[in-house]
Amino acid sequence: MSAETDMIKLYSSRILELTTNMPRTERLESPTATAKKRSPLCGSTVTVDIILKDGVIADYGQEVKACALGQAAAAVIGAQIVGLTRAQVQQGRDELYAMLKEDGPVPKEPFNELEVLYPAKDYKNRHASILLTFDATLDALEAKKATA
């Protein structure tokens, strides 16, 4: 298979569809915590705002400036994140990391739609961008914990 064919496979129509229908792209007006993460390799950035109530994400906003793969991950995460605890977010991040870096299985629900990024496991230079939204969300949750 040629490199061009590999890239076409990587940027599937489903990934491109996710990038155009990304939810929760508005920053929150009064978040309880905010975090911004940047991938030094590619320059992608994600800023996440959360409102946390009783240990659960009650509202979520994100600003994503990333490649299509990072945007697709942010779209899936943004669609599922409200109502989750820190432990559930960490588990989703750990499962995505294992899928990309350790040939692990596809993440379980509610993040099972991240399966669309399975072909990216062979593109190590894209992994940081794909993980960025989870990392920013976990940083925001840690920032809230530090102020509690």
Side-chain angles (χ1 to χ4, degrees):
M1 221 188 290
S2 73
E4 184 176 337
T5 304
D6 286 347
M7 289 306 276
I8 290 169
K9 183 175 111 181
L10 184 60
Y11 290 99
S12 69
S13 59
R14 180 64 184 134
I15 285 175
L16 298 177
E17 179 185 328
L18 285 166
T19 68
T20 59
N21 295 308
M22 187 185 310
R24 303 190 171 276
T25 56
E26 299 293 321
R27 300 281 310 275
L28 301 182
E29 223 171 275
S30 299
T32 52
T34 298
K36 182 176 183 175
K37 291 292 277 186
R38 180 180 178 277
S39 169
L41 187 61
C42 66
S44 293
T45 61
V46 173
T47 304
V48 166
D49 297 323
I50 61 168
I51 293 177
L52 200 61
K53 290 186 181 169
D54 300 321
V56 173
I57 297 173
D59 203 358
Y60 182 88
Q62 61 185 348
E63 181 178 82
V64 180
K65 295 178 182 173
C67 67
L69 300 174
Q71 290 178 46
V76 172
I77 294 163
Q80 301 300 327
I81 202 84
V82 171
L84 299 183
T85 64
R86 185 197 187 295
Q88 290 169 306
V89 175
Q90 184 68 58
Q91 179 178 343
R93 197 262 185 215
D94 292 347
E95 291 172 355
L96 178 58
Y97 181 92
M99 180 185 85
L100 293 172
K101 304 249 186 209
E102 301 164 356
D103 204 25
V106 170
K108 297 181 195 103
E109 286 189 13
F111 298 114
N112 55 313
E113 197 173 355
L114 291 168
E115 178 179 16
V116 72
L117 296 166
Y118 186 80
K121 71 182 182 69
D122 296 328
Y123 298 88
K124 294 181 185 341
N125 62 333
R126 307 295 180 154
H127 294 178
S129 181
I130 293 168
L131 292 164
L132 214 51
T133 300
F134 269 132
D135 292 341
T137 303
L138 289 166
D139 278 3
L141 289 163
E142 281 302 308
K144 174 57 182 154
K145 186 174 152 184
T147 62

